[in-house]
Amino acid sequence: MAKSDIVTSVVFIIFSIIIYIGSLNFPEVPNNRIAGPAFYPQIIAIALMLTSIALIIQSVPKLKMKEEIERLDKKKMIRVGIVLIATILYAVSMKVLGFVIATLLYFGILSAMMQKKLNVLQIITGSVIITGVVYAVFIMLLKASLPRGILF
Amino acid sequence: MDFIIYGLLEVFQPINFILMSIGVFAGIVFGAIPGLTATLAISLLIPFTFGMPPVPALVLLLGIYCGGIYGGSITAILIRAPGTPAAAATVLDGYPLAQKGLGGEAVGVATIGSGIGGLISALIMIFLSPQISKFALEFSAPEYFALAIFGLSVIFSISDNVIKGMMTGLLGLLLATVGMDPIMPLPRFTFGNLQLMTGLPLLPAVIGLFALAEVFRMAEEIELLDKTAAAINRIVPELRVFIDMIPLFIKSSLIGTFIGALPGAGANIAAFVSYNEAKRSSKNPEKFGTGCYEGVAASETANNAVTGGALIPMLTLGIPGDAVTAVLLSALTIQGYQPGPLLFRDNMDIVYPIFACMILANIIMVIMGLCGAKFVARIAMVDKAYLMPSIAIFAIVGAFAASGNIFDIWVTLFFGVLGYVLGKLKFDVSPIALSIILGPLAETSLRKSLVFSKGDPSILVTRPISAVLLALSVLSVVTTLIKQNRARKKMLAK
């Protein structure tokens, strides 16, 4: 964990520096320097920087330790990546395809990925049932307006 | 007594009663499915409550809360997979019991224990909350600031690594500053984005952190769930077993309520503390771990007793003690209520039904558990190939439908990825949710205090209550830090 902790700390430090710099041009409250809009984010950014440095200090001695190296499992990452991309496409395509078709497809892709043995019939049934449930609950019961596409 | 009757009448309204029962059932099922927690169930269902009046919305969510903490015990006992972290201690004795063929009885003990724990803690909540809120009415800005810091500090100190807990907590505090300045008309960190003017929307953040992040985790591998649930023969053990355990039930309930009321410590900690205490004070501690009813009772009674306890600081002070109450608090906020002492002065119309609901939900939970455990155990084995896409769809559609705004889907996705990545790096994400909720309170009260004192920060430590709270916060972080450092040095020395 030591290596990834150090890298994460550096990312957090960069983030807090950006926040600190970003808050520098906030206006000040006359006669009360510390009650303005910049004060609080700056304090928190400094605190985040200090804790991140503390984590680095804590992790350095552990670097020498030979811990079981946790490699990022490529297969796992690809699967997570597929879900991420599918979700982005789902959000984008909802406006074009409409909620019903987009949901049918999204369920199908995720479900196919999670199945031990591909079973198309099961995917189609599951996808129709879940889309129907979401449609019934959100559109008919809750009267939410979900995007309609060209067909539905 | 009048108010309890008023509350009960309200909760017995058919629509409320039905919604509460649905909530309890949904909670039990979600709780029983390994990997899904009460927090996830509540975040997914908040969008459903948007259009509802406040009382039905709250009884539904509180039902899920009670059922969700209990449901984990069923799978903990029958398939050795605790449905929720809260039931991790239940496995220790529950599964050995199931192997002996006493799985049904163990579920029975867990069910009745959960009910007793929930009821006792609900009663304690009903009697203590009004007093605490009266006391808290005197609080002004410096006390609120100290209170927010105290809540955060306890969350930091229960993290596996305090420093990492602080880092995610501080990150949450920074994210909470996005949007309009709370005092001056000035947008901060919005990058000119109009959607961000009102700040990061709370619900999508919560759904992302607790539901979508779980979807990513589930996606990692196809789980081959070949476990079969142990058979249930009879579900209620002999009466004598219960009578012998009455003192244990009461003690575990008190432990659970107390731990629940402490900001920061949740149901899983309560279960372990209570289990260890039961083992320590038992006449035959060697029986623990080999399958004894006392172990199941201690753990399950305490984790459900957390429910009432955790609601005390949430309702009276507006300080959520753990992830579940943080999500519940956001539901109250969305309904237009500001939890805190003023709630008890101005909104008793929802406080009484909450009280009554916590009593009734526990009774319904016991009945459902005793009648339906077998059924629930079967649903809990649902194939991930259906479960994972369904959660994903409900998360996305729920986040979207609440506002009708595609932007909210992006926020959900952002927090989903953030929660997943931080979880992979062994960072605890519940501090983020808590800080997003407590952040505005912390900042506003801090700045009001400083305006009031004309910029002199000593106002925070010269007022007794805020001084005590701040001292406690520092103490809890520092002591845990020292403890963890010592443990780390030992580990390094090896």
Side-chain angles (χ1 to χ4, degrees), chain B residues 148-167:
Chain B
I149 296 298
F150 179 65
L152 289 169
S153 75
V154 188
I155 282 285
F156 298 160
S157 23
I158 58 157
S159 300
D160 292 333
N161 181 341
V162 186
I163 296 180
K164 284 180 156 187
M166 283 177 86
M167 283 166 69

Side-chain angles (χ1 to χ4, degrees), chain A residues 1 4-5 8-9 12 15-16 18-20 22-23 26-29 31-32 34-45 47-49 51-52 54-55 58 61-62 65 70 72 75-77 79-80 83-84 87-92 94-95 99 103-104 106-108 110-116 122-123 126-127 130-131 133-134 137-138 142 144-147, chain B residues 44 47-49 51-52 145 161 163-164 166-168 170-171 173-175 177 181 183-184 186-189 212 215-226 383-386 388-390 392-394 396-398 400-401 404 406 409-410 413 417 420 422 424-427 438-440 442-443 446-447 450-457 481 484-485 488 491-492:
Chain A
M1 243 28 242
S4 70
D5 278 353
T8 320
S9 302
F12 274 56
F15 177 73
S16 48
I18 293 173
I19 293 282
Y20 193 92
S23 68
F26 289 167
E28 286 184 5
V29 176
N31 307 326
N32 196 342
I34 65 172
F39 170 65
Y40 174 83
Q42 284 174 356
I43 291 268
I44 305 287
L48 182 57
M49 221 178 299
T51 43
S52 306
L55 186 63
Q58 196 187 68
K62 275 197 257 173
M65 262 170 54
E70 241 187 279
L72 280 183
K75 265 189 192 156
K76 283 184 186 175
M77 288 306 107
R79 302 171 62 84
V80 175
V83 178
L84 181 63
T87 311
I88 293 173
L89 288 178
Y90 180 46
V92 175
M94 228 195 264
K95 270 196 172 159
F99 155 77
T103 307
L104 284 171
Y106 183 55
F107 186 99
L110 295 194
S111 188
M113 201 190 83
M114 294 300 287
Q115 271 187 337
K116 289 157 222 162
Q122 270 184 8
I123 295 176
S127 152
I130 290 296
T131 310
V133 169
V134 175
V137 170
F138 279 99
L142 298 174
S145 60
L146 296 172
Chain B
L44 276 189
F48 293 87
T49 65
M52 292 185 194
F145 173 70
N161 181 341
I163 296 180
K164 284 180 156 187
M166 283 177 86
M167 283 166 69
T168 46
L170 291 164
L171 177 68
L173 289 177
L174 284 178
L175 291 173
T177 61
D181 182 87
I183 297 182
M184 288 167 77
L186 170 87
R188 292 187 299 183
F189 310 117
L212 201 59
V215 169
F216 291 133
R217 264 190 294 276
M218 281 188 196
E220 283 186 352
E221 49 201 314
I222 304 168
E223 192 181 303
L224 299 157
L225 240 186
D226 285 330
D383 194 342
K384 264 196 182 173
Y386 302 122
M388 185 271 237
S390 310
I393 290 172
F394 274 92
I396 301 288
V397 175
F400 172 77
I406 291 272
I409 298 185
W410 302 125
L413 202 57
V417 173
Y420 170 73
L422 286 177
K424 276 259 120 180
L425 298 168
K426 301 266 181 326
F427 280 82
L438 288 180
E443 173 168 19
L446 172 66
R447 284 173 54 191
L450 290 173
V451 169
F452 182 69
S453 70
K454 301 196 173 65
D456 178 7
L481 204 58
Q484 290 183 353
N485 246 335
R488 199 165 298 117
M491 207 185 74
L492 275 177

